[in-house]
């Protein structure tokens, strides 16, 4: 009688051997899987670190305690399966088994959202932080997060690169990666006071795996941007998607194009206020941090100086403000545009050239209202500057009052090589603010130009530290400011020579000079 195929020794061996190998090596195969872990809670302060006991039953701390308010949302640190969710003595805990062999535990919890057997992904809400303490005598506070591998407790931060942070600053220059985890020396603005700045390449690595604070983040782009334009990437700073809103010049949740940004900063203050109300409606009681670029900064300056109604419950409180390349005293490049278009009298040929070639028609036309409003000599810039100074002075009177009475922390970042908004034009103090205000107003000059600086490792580190309330490196960039001032001075001199000496202004019609006047087009 013929043997069946599996009765043959060779076939039996060929079938059983692979199965045996898989069974024996499964723990190693599972452990070889690489999972991405993130912090289970959106808060950065560690109240108590990992302190393994000397013996199995010895004293120590078998996890880390994150500072977080009662009822804070707790999320799964990585993909896995819930193996336990329920009470242990007087507290509720949850544990998740991960494919790499780790077991993570979270507690004390309330409002559990999972049960044993549930498959979860990284970021899945598993519950909220219960009130009160935990540990011996309930002496510990915050979220206790522990990690075990093969039954042994390990440091939870071992699954987060560089202890939860990716280093962006080294001893000699800004860089992505490396040690130590915190900068050990000040940047100082670079060599020669900021003229020859130390480099900082664009970073694609996260600076942090948790946000710097519990606030919502609102991003505002600048002139000639669109919905697809690059802004500082909040994901690299540890923010979850539901904690970030991007301002749209076209309306709430609407995509926008460059032409939507052309009307000048004052035209968008109402829309900005509407965006804040929408955030307050979605996340009531949550403060908002602002990160703004270029013209976007003047929108929020106008809002803060005149519209920031502290008693309006439909508006969220403003926490911190980070400004990148904001023309607090105007843009010299805008002044150059006004000089070329109006004061050199070239508006007619430039308009014809743009219509014929399409040059700038979908990014920025020289007749866009924003060009004139961003001119350092414009009424818009002067009125914004005056309103800002008055609001800060009122906040530091003997009887503090006004829209800035709560004194938000403000950081203004200038690009050392920025000629669109030279470093000197970003000054928020100019020596005219109350002396006490200097603790709330911070200025730095960082590597890069008008667009590139906000994506550098230097900017990511500085922004995260500032929003977390940590000390930020000194970088005054004195010489960079001087070079920018020289550029602005040359434009001012050219304007004076062309409009006031060679072809004096018409006494009754603004813009009636240069070629326009010679052609009698006024």
């Amino acid at each position: 009688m013929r043997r069946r195929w599996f009765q043959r020794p060779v076939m039996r061996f060929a079938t059983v051997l692979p199965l045996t190998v898989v069974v024996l090596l499964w723990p190693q195969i599972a452990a070889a899987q690489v999972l991405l872990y993130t912090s289970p809670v959106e808060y950065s302060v560690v109240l108590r670190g990992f302190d393994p006991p000397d013996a199995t039953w010895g004293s120590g701390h078998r996890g880390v305690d994150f500072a977080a308010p009662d009822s804070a949302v707790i999320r799964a640190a990585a993909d896995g399966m819930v193996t336990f969710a329920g009470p242990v003595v007087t507290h509720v805990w949850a544990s998740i088994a991960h494919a790499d062999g780790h077991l993570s535990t979270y507690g004390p919890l309330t409002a559990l959202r999972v049960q044993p057997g549930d498959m979860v992904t990284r970021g899945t809400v598993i519950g909220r932080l219960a009130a009160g303490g935990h540990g011996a005598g309930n002496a510990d506070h915050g979220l206790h997060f522990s990690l075990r591998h093969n039954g042994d407790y390990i440091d939870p931060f071992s699954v987060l690169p560089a202890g939860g942070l990716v280093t962006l600053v080294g001893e000699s220059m800004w860089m992505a990666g490396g040690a130590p985890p915190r900068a050990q020396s000040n940047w100082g603005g670079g060599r020669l006071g900021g003229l020859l700045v130390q480099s900082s390449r664009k970073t694609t690595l996260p600076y942090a795996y948790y946000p710097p604070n519990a606030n919502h983040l609102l991003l505002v782009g600048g002139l000639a941007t669109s919905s697809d334009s690059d802004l500082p990437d909040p994901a690299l700073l540890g923010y979850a998607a539901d904690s970030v809103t991007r301002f749209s010049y076209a309306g709430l949740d609407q995509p926008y194009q460059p032409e939507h940004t052309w009307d000048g900063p004052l035209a968008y203050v109402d829309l900005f206020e509407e965006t804040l109300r929408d955030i307050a409606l979605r996340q009531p009681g949550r403060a908002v941090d602002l990160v703004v670029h270029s013209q976007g900064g003047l929108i929020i300056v106008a809002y803060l100086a005149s519209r920031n109604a502290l008693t309006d419950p439909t508006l969220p409180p403003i926490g911190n403000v980070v400004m990148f390349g904001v023309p607090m005293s105007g843009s010299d490049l805008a002044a150059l545009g006004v000089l070329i278009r109006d004061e050199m009298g070239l508006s007619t040929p430039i308009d014809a050239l743009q219509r014929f070639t399409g040059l700038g028609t979908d990014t920025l036309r020289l007749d866009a209202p924003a060009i004139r409003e961003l001119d350092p000599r414009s009424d818009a810039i002067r009125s914004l500057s005056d309103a800002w100074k008055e609001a800060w002075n009122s906040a530091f009177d003997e009887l503090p009052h006004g829209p800035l009475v709560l004194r938000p922390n403000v950081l203004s970042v200038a690009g050392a090589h920025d000629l669109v908004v030279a470093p000197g034009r970003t000054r928020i103090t100019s020596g005219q603010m109350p002396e006490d205000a200097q603790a709330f107003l911070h200025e730095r000059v960082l590597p890069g130009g008008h667009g590139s600086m906000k994506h550098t490792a230097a900017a990511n580190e500085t922004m995260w530290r500032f929003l977390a309330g940590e000390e930020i490196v000194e970088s005054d960039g004195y010489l960079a400011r001087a070079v920018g001032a020289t550029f602005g001075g040359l434009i001012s001199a050219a304007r004076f020579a062309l409009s006031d000496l060679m072809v004096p202004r018409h006494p009754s019609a603004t813009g009636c000079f240069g070629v326009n006047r010679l052609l009698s087009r006024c």
Side-chain angles (χ1 to χ4, degrees), residues 57-82:
W57 303 107
S59 61
H61 193 239
R62 294 167 173 82
V64 295
D65 292 343
F66 288 102
D70 297 344
S71 298
V73 173
I74 308 302
R75 303 176 184 273
D79 301 352
M81 183 180 73
V82 179

Side-chain angles (χ1 to χ4, degrees), residues 140-381:
D140 293 326
H141 297 277
L143 173 72
H144 181 80
F145 175 54
S146 67
L147 199 67
R148 278 179 283 178
H149 187 78
N150 294 332
D152 296 326
Y153 284 95
I154 63 175
D155 188 349
F157 280 122
S158 65
V159 299
L160 300 177
L165 296 177
V166 174
T167 304
L168 300 182
V169 178
E171 288 291 342
S172 59
M173 64 175 60
W174 299 93
M175 55 190 295
R182 285 285 189 258
Q184 298 300 307
S185 59
N186 287 336
W187 179 52
R191 293 165 291 175
L192 296 181
L195 180 61
L196 301 177
V197 297
Q198 296 161 331
S199 63
S200 178
R201 59 179 176 262
K202 182 176 180 178
T203 182
T204 57
L205 295 174
Y207 174 68
Y209 292 94
Y210 42 78
N213 58 44
N215 297 346
H216 191 91
L217 188 68
L218 176 57
L219 300 170
V220 185
L223 178 63
T225 61
S226 71
S227 300
D228 299 326
S229 297
D230 289 336
L231 285 166
D233 187 350
L236 297 181
L237 299 175
Y239 285 93
D242 60 358
S243 293
V244 179
T245 296
R246 294 176 181 270
F247 174 78
S248 171
Y249 283 86
L252 290 179
D253 300 322
Q254 297 296 314
Y256 73 92
Q257 299 301 321
E259 58 267 24
H260 291 122
T261 71
W262 292 354
D263 293 337
L266 297 180
Y268 304 101
V269 179
D270 288 341
L271 181 55
F272 179 79
E273 183 174 323
E274 183 182 355
T275 303
L276 288 177
R277 294 187 192 279
D278 180 66
I279 295 174
L281 185 63
R282 289 185 283 117
Q283 299 182 351
R286 193 173 186 185
V288 174
D289 288 340
L290 307 174
V291 174
V292 298
H293 179 235
S294 194
Q295 174 184 262
L298 295 182
I299 298 174
I300 64 101
V301 164
Y303 170 81
L304 290 175
S306 60
R307 303 281 193 92
N308 190 25
L310 303 179
T311 58
D312 188 340
T314 67
L315 287 170
I318 302 299
N320 305 284
V321 181
V322 180
M323 302 176 172
F324 286 101
V326 172
M328 295 292 291
S329 60
S331 164
D332 290 316
L333 196 64
L336 183 61
V338 173
L339 172 65
I340 293 173
R341 178 183 167 83
D342 293 339
E343 301 186 30
M344 291 179 66
L346 297 178
S347 60
T348 301
I350 286 178
D351 287 343
L353 180 64
Q354 285 191 304
R355 286 193 299 270
F356 179 75
T357 64
L359 182 64
T361 55
D362 58 350
T363 54
L364 181 63
R365 292 180 59 92
L366 283 182
D367 60 355
I371 293 293
R372 286 194 177 90
E373 290 195 19
L374 297 179
D375 182 353
R377 299 199 301 191
S378 72
D379 291 338
I381 286 293

